[in-house]
Amino acid sequence: MGFMQALRARWEQADSLVCVGLDPEPAKFPPRVADEPDAIFNFCREIVDATAQYVCCFKPQIAHFAALGAEDALQRLVAHVHSAHPGIPVILDSKRGDIGSTAQHYAAEAFDRYGADAVTANPYLGRDSVQPFLDRADRGVVILCRTSNPGAADLQDLQVVDGRPPASRPLYQHVAERIARDWNGNGNCALVVGATWPRQLREVRAIVGDLPFLVPGVGAQGGDVEAVVKNAKTADGTGLVVSSSRAILYASDGDGFADAAAAAAKSLRDEINRYR
């Protein structure tokens, strides 16, 4: 089963649009696991096992592992998700984008080394920089469109003229249209559109139809769940992968951190479902 098929199946089976971001920060680990030799893997594994029933996917952030020299823990974590919770896809959040053989190696890193079902990618070097990802028809390519960070407007909102009405549109709308129209030949593309921009969510949804959105920015970044769902869901009430990391991972710093994470994931799932 390819990424898109697995994601759609999970939306239905788990009745959830929640994605738990796995961003380990050892300074925030509870004492029970902080001093363990394999603390990064053990912490993330407990989070995964506790929250799995409430999620449509998991999203480990590669820098949080690589900066700690914990690439092996990331490999084992993805393998654990696949073996212990089959059917739940994993998106590797690495925002890769480069040209030629380098892009091919980045695709191999995500899909062959780490075993991810999908990867986030940066489109701003053009199609050839993401083509090796697009060519893996069974894997997902989640491409940056309108990101959740405050500086997103610096470039993504720049007005661009392409000779068609209207006279100009923001760059992120061109990105959305190009991906949906030209890059999605294998049906494996999705877009990153931040929860902090409800109007832009609505605009991008109107451009790309049913293309899935990875939506960061709820929880710690302050995105409004009701606004996200109402502006960006598809006609069948799906189409969204609503990502939360810190608000779930660090819901408690005590011994019951995994139970607290499960409660936070369930609460987010239920809140999303109220507006679907």
Side-chain angles (χ1 to χ4, degrees), residues 108-230:
E109 172 196 53
F111 301 141
D112 301 328
R113 179 185 182 189
Y114 290 115
D117 302 287
V119 65
T120 57
N122 189 326
Y124 289 99
L125 274 71
R127 179 168 178 163
D128 60 315
S129 68
V130 295
Q131 191 63 51
F133 302 101
L134 300 174
D135 288 341
R136 300 290 288 266
D138 62 329
R139 307 297 175 101
V141 191
V142 187
I143 302 173
L144 301 180
C145 180
R146 187 55 167 84
T147 56
S148 60
N149 57 303
D154 291 349
L155 297 177
Q156 295 165 27
D157 280 2
L158 291 176
Q159 293 293 307
V160 177
V161 177
D162 66 358
R164 297 181 300 166
S168 66
R169 290 187 297 169
L171 179 57
Y172 73 85
Q173 293 188 16
H174 287 270
V175 169
E177 181 180 49
R178 179 65 60 90
I179 292 166
R181 185 187 67 203
D182 299 333
W183 296 13
N184 196 31
N186 286 323
N188 60 342
C189 290
L191 296 176
V192 177
V193 189
T196 45
W197 313 110
R199 177 176 60 82
Q200 288 87 342
L201 278 162
R202 183 174 66 254
E203 293 168 350
V204 175
R205 176 58 72 204
I207 292 169
V208 304
D210 289 344
L211 212 70
F213 291 177
L214 172 62
V215 185
V218 301
Q221 293 186 55
D224 181 75
V225 170
E226 180 179 4
V228 167
V229 177
K230 290 188 173 180

